Amino acid sequence: MTTPVLLDRHGPIALLTINRPEKLNALDYATNDLLLAHLNELEPDDGVGAVVITGAGRRAFSAGGDIHEFSRSIADGIEAAVRDFCQRGQRMTARLEDYPKPVIAAVNGLAYGGGCEITEAVHLAVTCESALFAKPEITIGIPPTFGGTQRLPRLAGRKRALEMLLTGDSFSAARALDIGLVNQVVADGRELDAAFALAKRILRHSPLAASRILTAVTRGLNTTITEGLRIEQEQFARMAATRDVHEGLTAWIERRMPDYQGAEAKQ
């Protein structure tokens, strides 16, 4: 049987590929669960500093949830549908959003529904020029269920997000860049290279500092500015007790490139 998510390691970068091209990489329950399992597996691996997610083939990053499977859960009742579909998808996207290592989406085609919600949840995203995005859940009579009603307004603003959510209309890669859903638009076929290049730019720096930044930003977005500043201070305090801070400061003074080890304790 074909594995629905492929895991490949390219040095310090782990590549996760949603591998259902014949279904436009739709997120059935097995795919959702395997994505989550791979993220859990990679988190404690000190040899992995960043994760890139893409879709198999050239047609789709992910066309969203597997409607045939979801319809069976709907037939089983509200409790089953909420548990099997909504809560499962929300766990996966929340894990992406809260992940302590940078996660970058390389969007290589359609990113509809759940595919768009993965793009919303990850820390950074690169897309090819021909990619299309959409929030089409309303066309089958439901709101988004993997966090789209919450994350898209935070990224795009309330009115722009509501237009996308309420019409279900698709929008271009250029529009995704304009609203802050993606960081970069590149020529078709170059999105994976661009995602890897972005990961390598991050990996030049302390992995501990990157993790502290991710935590401060993710937690701070959902608080007041006063609480956010307290979170920022906490994350700085955690870094101040590390070898990486000592190495970074020493390297700057000595005018050399730092050699970060990701070590928590001082030398």
Side-chain angles (χ1 to χ4, degrees):
M1 187 176 71
T2 302
T3 302
V5 181
L6 303 176
L7 168 59
D8 297 292
R9 297 167 189 261
H10 301 262
I13 303 173
L15 174 63
L16 295 176
T17 303
I18 304 170
N19 187 40
R20 302 184 74 213
E22 73 287 352
K23 298 290 187 181
L24 296 180
N25 298 320
L27 300 166
D28 65 357
Y29 299 158
T31 303
N32 189 105
D33 293 349
L34 190 53
L35 269 174
L36 192 57
H38 281 318
L39 291 168
N40 292 339
E41 172 191 346
L42 292 167
E43 181 180 351
D45 188 340
D46 292 337
V48 172
V51 178
V52 172
I53 300 178
T54 194
R58 293 301 315 161
R59 297 176 63 196
F61 174 70
S62 173
D66 189 308
I67 302 303
H68 293 289
E69 189 174 51
F70 169 58
S71 65
R72 292 193 291 271
S73 293
I74 286 284
D76 289 338
I78 295 172
E79 184 177 342
V82 169
R83 181 191 65 238
D84 295 344
F85 190 68
C86 187
Q87 291 179 352
R88 175 182 261 111
Q90 287 184 355
R91 279 195 301 272
M92 183 264 290
T93 53
R95 186 72 165 115
L96 290 168
E97 185 175 50
D98 294 338
Y99 208 61
K101 300 178 181 183
V103 183
I104 304 170
V107 181
N108 56 308
L110 298 178
Y112 283 15
C116 193
E117 284 167 312
I118 288 176
T119 310
E120 295 159 20
V122 296
H123 306 127
L124 301 163
V126 175
T127 181
C128 66
E129 290 175 331
S130 66
L132 287 175
F133 299 80
K135 308 297 299 180
E137 291 88 348
I138 196 169
T139 65
I140 59 169
I142 62 171
T145 52
F146 293 3
T149 62
Q150 302 306 305
R151 293 190 182 93
L152 189 61
R154 286 167 167 81
L155 287 167
R158 174 172 168 264
K159 285 183 169 58
R160 288 189 291 192
L162 279 171
E163 180 182 352
M164 296 164 185
L165 293 165
L166 292 172
T167 65
D169 293 344
S170 63
F171 54 98
S172 68
R175 180 65 168 160
L177 179 66
D178 180 59
I179 65 173
L181 179 60
V182 302
N183 299 84
Q184 187 179 1
V185 179
V186 298
D188 288 5
R190 301 295 299 172
E191 63 281 347
L192 197 56
D193 289 340
F196 270 71
L198 180 55
K200 289 173 182 176
R201 287 165 54 201
I202 297 168
L203 292 171
R204 296 175 298 176
H205 307 298
S206 163
L208 297 179
S211 183
R212 300 288 80 79
I213 290 168
L214 292 172
T215 298
V217 170
T218 301
R219 289 174 54 192
L221 278 173
N222 297 316
T223 66
T224 65
I225 186 66
T226 300
E227 293 167 331
L229 291 171
R230 189 175 301 114
I231 292 167
E232 181 177 88
Q233 181 176 306
E234 291 169 355
Q235 297 307 307
F236 165 75
R238 290 188 62 182
M239 276 305 299
T242 66
R243 288 191 180 127
D244 276 7
V245 166
H246 175 84
E247 171 61 15
L249 292 172
T250 302
W252 188 90
I253 292 168
E254 295 177 354
R255 297 296 188 268
R256 62 173 173 81
M257 293 297 294
D259 180 21
Y260 294 117
Q261 301 297 316
E264 291 281 358
K266 278 184 180 178
Q267 289 181 336

